[in-house]
Amino acid sequence: ASRLRLEVTDVRVERLQSITEEDARLEGAPNLGISNLRVALDMGFARYHFASFWDVTFGEQKGLSWASSPWVWRVAFKKISEPS
């Protein structure tokens, strides 16, 4: 039993830094505050927050920092309505 059913609509591999501003928003880019306004203006606010959150979460692990732009799986999905 599950509360939510999802259908995978796309799977691909891409570099971490290829995320767009819109995709970063859709990922729920958290608002961590802006420590470097110039960088945030250059790369976009949602991408800046996504990159900051990524580094807080994974940056300590070798090869996973935002700067190293590792290959990541990108999985898109849609919610499936419950059967009637």
Side-chain angles (χ1 to χ4, degrees), residues 2 6 20 34 48 67-68 71 80:
S2 67
L6 303 174
T20 65
I34 297 175
Y48 174 82
S68 66
W71 289 99
I80 300 173

Side-chain angles (χ1 to χ4, degrees), residues 65-82:
S65 69
W66 173 263
S68 66
S69 194
W71 289 99
V72 294
W73 287 99
R74 178 179 172 152
V75 180
F77 54 86
K78 67 179 182 180
K79 183 179 175 183
I80 300 173
S81 59
E82 292 299 318

Side-chain angles (χ1 to χ4, degrees), residues 22-39:
E22 177 63 21
D23 289 339
R25 273 191 219 98
L26 291 171
E27 284 292 328
N31 186 352
L32 300 175
I34 297 175
S35 60
N36 190 330
L37 183 58
R38 172 78 349 282
V39 173

Side-chain angles (χ1 to χ4, degrees), residues 3-79:
R3 295 183 201 194
L4 180 67
R5 293 176 43 199
L6 303 174
E7 176 183 336
V8 175
T9 59
D10 187 37
V11 177
R12 63 180 182 230
V13 176
E14 64 183 30
R15 289 286 192 173
L16 178 62
Q17 288 186 17
S18 69
I19 192 168
T20 65
E21 182 77 358
E22 177 63 21
D23 289 339
R25 273 191 219 98
L26 291 171
E27 284 292 328
N31 186 352
L32 300 175
I34 297 175
S35 60
N36 190 330
L37 183 58
R38 172 78 349 282
V39 173
L41 289 172
D42 287 345
M43 70 186 294
F45 287 96
R47 285 185 79 232
Y48 174 82
H49 288 301
F50 181 84
S52 298
F53 181 73
W54 182 273
D55 275 345
V56 166
T57 306
F58 303 108
E60 297 284 322
Q61 299 175 47
K62 184 178 180 179
L64 292 182
S65 69
W66 173 263
S68 66
S69 194
W71 289 99
V72 294
W73 287 99
R74 178 179 172 152
V75 180
F77 54 86
K78 67 179 182 180
K79 183 179 175 183

